[in-house]
Amino acid sequence: QITLKESGPTLVKPTQTLTLTCTFSGFSLSTSGVGVGWIRQPPGKALKWLALIFWNEDKSYSPSLKSRLTITKDTSKNQVILTMTNMDPVDTATYYCAHRRVTMIRGLPGDYFEYWGQGTPVTVSS
Amino acid sequence: SSELTQDPAVSVALGQTVRITCQGDILRNSYASWYQQKPGQAPVLVIYGENNRPSGIPDRFSGSNSGNTASLTITGAQAEDEADYYCNSRDSSGNHFVFGTGTEVTVL
């Protein structure tokens, strides 16, 4: 059974750095093809993909937030950590981590986030 | 463009069929996945790949793809299908991911 759970502060001040941890079980992030991503959702708004780390240490970031994001993994602890610098009130959102896999169909990729954490709310306010 | 556009809201009568579309040029080079999200809950994967349902997803959910459009169809909509639905795919670079703008489905 695959589970993921996010943890971190619920309140951060503007300009501070946010650190979120995704602790997972039921799979290994050293297995080929596996990835763990971070997605956020401001209140009443759409989902937004932030970052993803792959089994082979490759990393990918949202172009609009790349300068502020860092994603790392600790395979021994089954954890993925996301840091976001220079937090602003517009970063107030629920942050989710999710398990990513991909299927290839006639040479084209079909990625999917099959398992999600429950999400952790983060408010940015002074 | 690396955007995925969805209709903001659709409604469907109980037991009828509704199709939700997701449009974007990036869908010519990758398949979309679809997520259902109910208020206060995390998203749930309902369709991935060509037309695959994860275990536990009812077979009234189906997906299709044509050109720059991916579609999610609910055949025989139930009250519990009332939710927001999001598509997701890789962007034009192939290295990033994009979520659609979301569609609110109301079951009348």
Side-chain angles (χ1 to χ4, degrees):
Chain A
Q1 180 189 5
I2 291 177
T3 64
L4 303 96
K5 186 173 184 179
E6 307 87 351
S7 58
T10 57
L11 179 65
V12 297
K13 295 183 183 334
T15 75
Q16 286 187 335
T17 294
L18 172 69
T19 299
L20 295 173
T21 300
C22 175
T23 303
F24 57 86
S25 63
F27 68 95
S28 171
L29 199 37
S30 58
T31 300
S32 179
V34 173
V36 172
W38 285 93
I39 300 101
R40 74 178 183 183
Q41 185 173 39
K45 296 189 177 181
L47 300 169
K48 179 180 175 61
W49 173 77
L50 300 177
L52 195 139
I53 189 163
F54 297 87
W55 81 101
N56 59 359
E57 300 280 355
D58 281 350
K59 302 169 186 180
S60 180
Y61 297 100
S62 167
S64 63
L65 293 169
K66 182 177 182 178
S67 64
R68 300 173 52 206
L69 295 172
T70 302
I71 190 170
T72 58
K73 67 183 178 84
D74 186 331
T75 305
S76 65
K77 292 183 179 180
N78 281 352
Q79 290 181 334
V80 171
I81 297 98
L82 180 75
T83 61
M84 180 180 290
T85 61
N86 194 24
M87 293 293 285
D88 183 272
V90 300
D91 298 313
T92 293
T94 296
Y95 288 74
Y96 298 97
C97 63
H99 171 279
R100 169 268 187 194
R101 293 187 64 181
V102 63
T103 182
M104 297 300 293
I105 306 136
R106 289 185 287 279
L108 295 182
D111 300 89
Y112 56 102
F113 295 97
E114 186 167 12
Y115 300 97
W116 294 63
Q118 62 191 19
T120 187
V122 177
T123 299
V124 184
S125 174
S126 55
Chain B
S1 173
S2 294
E3 297 177 343
L4 292 175
T5 302
Q6 301 179 237
D7 290 332
V10 297
S11 61
V12 58
L14 184 68
Q16 296 303 301
T17 297
V18 62
R19 187 174 76 167
I20 306 161
T21 60
C22 172
Q23 288 191 303
D25 288 339
I26 61 178
L27 296 177
R28 299 184 185 277
N29 296 306
S30 61
Y31 283 82
S33 51
W34 288 92
Y35 303 85
Q36 176 193 70
Q37 187 181 33
K38 297 180 180 180
Q41 298 183 19
V44 173
L45 176 70
V46 294
I47 290 289
Y48 67 96
E50 202 159 23
N51 181 19
N52 301 104
R53 284 176 287 106
S55 175
I57 301 301
D59 61 5
R60 62 178 179 272
F61 290 91
S62 63
S64 63
N65 303 271
S66 178
N68 72 338
T69 301
S71 301
L72 173 70
T73 300
I74 309 174
T75 303
Q78 301 299 302
E80 60 263 34
D81 301 332
E82 190 162 284
D84 293 330
Y85 290 84
Y86 295 93
C87 58
N88 174 261
S89 185
R90 289 191 190 189
D91 76 352
S92 54
S93 74
N95 296 321
H96 310 128
F97 298 88
V98 179
F99 281 93
T101 50
T103 298
E104 180 182 14
V105 172
T106 301
V107 180
L108 304 173

